[in-house]
Amino acid sequence: MPPKDPETEKLKKELQDAIAKVQEDQKSKADTSLDSVAGDMGEASKIRASCKRMCKGHLNKVNSVHFSGDSRHLVSGSLDGKLIIWDIFTGNKTQIIPLLSSWVMSVAFSPSGNFVASGGMDNQCTVHDINNRDATGAAKVARELMGYEGFLSSIRFLDDTNLITGSGDMKVIHWDISAGKKVTEFFGHSGDVATMSLAPDQSCFVTGSVDRTIKVWDLRDSKTCKQSFWGHTSDVNSVYFHPSGQAIASGSEDKTARMWDMRSDQQIAEYKPPTANSGFTSCGLSSSGRYIMCGSDDNTIHFWDTMKTTHQGTLQGHENRITSLAVAPSGIAFASCSWDMTVRVWGL
């Protein structure tokens, strides 16, 4: 191994000390805890989610899933170089879209259901118009967004003409799809951007990174991030905005999920699995915000009561690492995908 640079090590130590000071200051201002506030609340009823659809069709690991705004259609992206659009009411494929690169890591459905976007190790974002077909019958490419210096890790549409992407070059970019141009670039992470979630009112969004931080950004002001949260001790693999728009859930490689309150500017809950061998790759919240679901590399989905922080059980069925979890906008279901090459839709 190369020798450690004293200057770099000094800067790391100063940063760690500064973060520790901020966390200590936050704790000193916390007049109560979520556990004590929720002490008189009744336990949430046990989740009775069950697998309603097992969608088979991919020939390699499935890395990402996302719902359209109608909560009926779902797009999945796999290392077989295909996007598949599913009708979850019937379990049928409605479209198969071949990609130029098989290294897809993230997919997104526009709220209208007119477009899907994908990207990954090809360092670009490709937007397909699913209502228009080319000569082969596949959805036409509406736009290719290039200019990344790292892999594309996360994508979310604001509407049919605007989307936001996060990538391995530590940047977040707001794109105008119709013009194929960058609207804004957001800088602040010191490691790969790994995940992203939009606020319910779409005025801001949150990102998680391998730099172990969670950052909140305002779409109306790109000069600096509005809030930063420290606490995870390893990569932040997934973030998810609370339905209230006032809190953020996260799942990490450090084998914990956490809840962060934006108003008090600090962590308010930590969710741990019964056994300490489950790193979390993805997370989501029920439409009420009472349940948090986390996909794990132990092949299961873990549930907690967000208020009481009690573990509610696991959902089993996948036979390999779960890579992505998407909650339907209607709240009636959520989907998961896995290295076992399947997509599962779970009814709530």
Side-chain angles (χ1 to χ4, degrees):
M1 290 181 65
K4 293 182 179 179
D5 177 33
E7 191 63 32
T8 302
E9 292 302 309
K10 181 183 175 184
L11 289 171
K12 282 184 180 178
K13 180 68 166 59
E14 289 175 354
L15 179 61
Q16 288 169 352
D17 291 344
I19 291 171
K21 187 176 180 182
V22 169
Q23 290 176 320
E24 196 63 38
D25 186 51
Q26 287 174 330
K27 287 178 183 177
S28 69
K29 292 178 171 57
D31 57 352
T32 186
S33 66
L34 186 65
D35 285 345
S36 60
V37 169
D40 295 333
M41 292 181 69
E43 290 282 348
S45 58
K46 292 288 184 181
I47 286 280
R48 289 184 172 85
S50 59
C51 183
K52 302 297 184 183
R53 294 280 183 267
M54 185 167 69
C55 305
K56 291 185 175 181
H58 284 297
L59 303 175
N60 207 328
K61 297 172 181 176
V62 188
N63 276 339
S64 185
V65 288
H66 193 239
F67 276 97
S68 68
D70 64 5
S71 296
R72 175 169 183 167
H73 295 92
L74 182 77
V75 62
S76 58
S78 165
L79 296 184
D80 62 8
K82 301 282 194 305
L83 300 182
I84 297 181
I85 297 173
W86 308 88
D87 181 336
I88 66 164
F89 288 11
T90 64
N92 296 330
K93 308 177 189 72
T94 63
Q95 281 196 52
I96 298 176
I97 304 171
L99 303 173
L100 292 177
S101 168
S102 62
W103 293 99
V104 61
M105 296 181 68
S106 183
V107 298
F109 229 130
S110 67
S112 68
N114 293 325
F115 297 92
V116 292
S118 62
M121 301 300 284
D122 57 353
N123 294 13
Q124 71 176 41
C125 178
T126 305
V127 181
H128 286 87
D129 182 348
I130 64 174
N131 296 318
N132 289 301
R133 310 290 183 100
D134 59 23
T136 66
K140 277 188 176 180
V141 174
R143 184 69 66 183
E144 290 180 319
L145 305 171
M146 292 176 278
Y148 301 98
E149 297 168 19
F151 63 91
L152 201 73
S153 61
S154 49
I155 310 166
R156 285 296 177 263
F157 280 91
L158 294 170
D159 51 41
D160 283 356
T161 56
N162 292 273
L163 63 74
I164 307 170
T165 59
S167 52
D169 55 11
M170 302 183 285
K171 289 189 295 189
V172 178
I173 301 175
H174 174 195
W175 292 92
D176 180 333
I177 304 169
S178 55
K181 293 182 179 179
K182 297 175 185 177
V183 177
T184 314
E185 291 189 53
F186 300 84
F187 299 95
H189 282 296
S190 59
D192 303 349
V193 178
T195 177
M196 178 189 305
S197 179
L198 288 172
D201 64 1
Q202 294 196 342
S203 64
C204 59
F205 64 96
V206 60
T207 54
S209 168
V210 300
D211 66 10
R212 306 177 185 181
T213 68
I214 295 161
K215 292 184 181 290
V216 181
W217 311 84
D218 192 322
L219 279 162
R220 300 157 295 187
D221 181 8
S222 64
K223 292 179 182 177
T224 182
C225 74
K226 300 307 167 189
Q227 278 181 288
S228 294
F229 296 105
W230 295 274
H232 280 299
T233 57
S234 190
D235 302 1
V236 180
N237 289 329
S238 184
V239 290
Y240 195 93
F241 246 107
H242 192 278
S244 67
Q246 301 292 344
I248 299 154
S250 62
S252 170
E253 204 73 37
D254 67 8
K255 301 177 174 57
T256 67
R258 307 187 188 211
M259 187 73 75
W260 312 84
D261 183 62
M262 295 172 66
R263 291 164 294 185
S264 63
D265 194 35
Q266 61 185 293
Q267 177 184 313
I268 56 171
E270 184 172 333
Y271 311 99
K272 293 183 178 180
T275 55
N277 60 354
S278 308
F280 298 119
T281 61
S282 48
C283 71
L285 290 165
S286 63
S287 57
S288 66
R290 189 65 194 268
Y291 300 97
I292 180 172
M293 302 86 76
C294 289
S296 172
D297 54 17
D298 68 4
N299 312 349
T300 66
I301 298 167
H302 292 259
F303 280 89
W304 291 265
D305 177 340
T306 55
M307 298 300 294
K308 308 283 280 186
T309 69
T310 52
H311 191 262
Q312 294 277 60
T314 58
L315 290 176
Q316 298 181 344
H318 282 296
E319 296 173 1
N320 208 325
R321 174 189 175 97
I322 295 169
T323 51
S324 178
L325 188 148
V327 182
S330 67
I332 62 169
F334 69 94
S336 59
C337 64
S338 166
W339 282 2
D340 67 8
M341 302 186 287
T342 69
V343 175
R344 287 177 179 259
V345 181
W346 310 82
L348 286 171

